[in-house]
Amino acid sequence: MQEELPVVLITAASKGIGRAIAEHLSKQWRVVLLARSAEIADMAESLDGIGVTGSVTEPSDLERFVQTALARYGRIDALVNNTGHPSKGKLLALSDADWQQGYELILASVIRLNRLVMPHMVARGRGAIVNISSYAAAKPELERPISSVLRAALSAWTKVQAEYAAPHGVRVNSIMPGFVDSYPAPQETIATIPLGRIGRLQELANYVAFLLSDEASYITGQNLLMDGGMMRGL
C-alpha cells in the first residue's frame, strides 16, 4: 500500500543529478520532489510521487515542500539535499552578493531543510540524509572558489549534523562526486581520472540509494568521494 513505502524528499530534482536520483529511488520509495521548474509536477506524477515548485533558497518554499510531504504521506524517512552550482569568477572580483548567493544555495538551504525535517525523523527514531556535494570540497580549485569554500563548509556541517542526529537513530552523509555525465567533460579532464572516464548518473543514484538503505546502517558523518580515483591520498 502507498503509505507503507518509505518517503524521500529530493531537491533540485527536475534534471541532471537530482532527476537521476529521483527516477532511481522511485522504484522503492515515495518521492517528493522540489524544483524551480513547473514541469516538476508532471515529472513527479510519472514517478507516482509529488512535485512542488519552488527554490531551495526560499525558506517559505522549503517549508511548503516539507508540509506537502507530511500532508500526503504523514512521514519523512529520508532527505537528499541536491543543489545547482554557484557563480564562478576571479577570486577577488566575486562580490559579496555572489558569495551570499552561494551560501544560500549550498549551505543555508541544507541547514534550513534539515531544521524542518529532523524533528520528524527524531520522533520516529530513524531516518537518513544524504547531501550532494562536490569533489571541490576536498580539492579546492581557484577556478570555482565559491563552490570550493562553501562545499568544504557543507562537509563540516555533515559531520556536526551527523553527531547531533546519531543518538536519535538518524544518519547523515555527503557524497562528493567528480565529473558525471549530466554534462560533457573535455578530454583533458578525463585524462586526469584514473578510471579513464567520467561517472554515470546511474552510478551516483545507486550510491545515494545505498547510503539511504539499511545496508548502510553503520555509516554516518562521512564525506564520500565518487570521482573515479581523481583524488588520491591518505
Side-chain angles (χ1 to χ4, degrees):
M1 294 177 62
Q2 180 174 351
E3 59 271 21
E4 293 177 344
L5 291 174
V7 177
V8 58
L9 276 59
I10 307 168
T11 60
S14 64
K15 58 184 179 181
I17 289 173
R19 185 182 186 113
I21 293 170
E23 290 175 344
H24 184 64
L25 292 183
S26 69
K27 299 169 185 176
Q28 294 184 311
W29 297 71
R30 292 294 176 191
V31 294
V32 184
L33 311 178
L34 179 73
R36 290 178 295 177
S37 170
E39 296 174 359
I40 194 65
D42 290 338
M43 177 192 157
E45 184 177 359
S46 73
L47 301 177
D48 200 20
I50 309 172
V52 176
T53 303
S55 171
V56 295
T57 62
E58 290 294 331
S60 60
D61 289 348
L62 296 179
E63 186 164 358
R64 181 164 48 86
F65 179 44
V66 171
Q67 290 305 317
T68 298
L70 292 171
R72 175 69 67 89
Y73 299 121
R75 59 191 285 181
I76 296 172
D77 299 279
L79 167 64
V80 179
N81 286 302
N82 178 52
T83 65
H85 298 286
S87 299
K88 293 182 181 180
K90 294 183 178 179
L91 180 63
L92 300 184
L94 290 163
S95 67
D96 287 353
D98 290 329
W99 284 97
Q100 183 64 36
Q101 186 270 343
Y103 166 73
E104 294 290 331
L105 181 68
I106 293 173
L107 189 58
S109 65
V110 174
I111 294 172
R112 288 170 180 149
L113 197 46
N114 277 266
R115 190 185 295 142
L116 293 168
V117 167
M118 185 60 66
H120 301 284
M121 292 184 174
V122 169
R124 300 190 71 234
R126 61 180 289 121
I129 297 171
V130 173
N131 301 320
I132 306 298
S133 184
S134 165
Y135 76 94
K139 183 180 179 292
E141 294 182 340
L142 185 58
E143 179 185 356
R144 43 181 62 83
I146 294 178
S147 182
S148 296
V149 171
L150 291 172
R151 293 194 195 280
L154 179 59
S155 293
W157 166 263
T158 297
K159 288 184 175 294
V160 297
Q161 177 73 342
E163 184 176 355
Y164 168 86
H168 305 287
V170 179
R171 298 181 297 104
V172 186
N173 294 289
S174 83
I175 298 175
M176 302 183 291
F179 295 91
V180 295
D181 60 5
S182 54
Y183 52 87
Q187 190 56 46
E188 55 267 30
T189 296
I190 296 175
T192 68
I193 303 171
L195 284 181
R197 63 174 177 85
I198 58 176
R200 303 183 185 99
L201 287 172
Q202 185 61 54
E203 291 172 318
L204 179 52
N206 290 343
Y207 201 177
V208 172
F210 168 70
L211 287 176
L212 295 182
S213 75
D214 288 342
E215 293 180 347
S217 58
Y218 202 55
I219 302 174
T220 195
Q222 304 304 308
N223 297 297
L224 302 161
L225 281 162
M226 179 191 154
D227 66 353
M230 190 168 59
M231 280 284 296
R232 300 176 295 280
L234 296 176

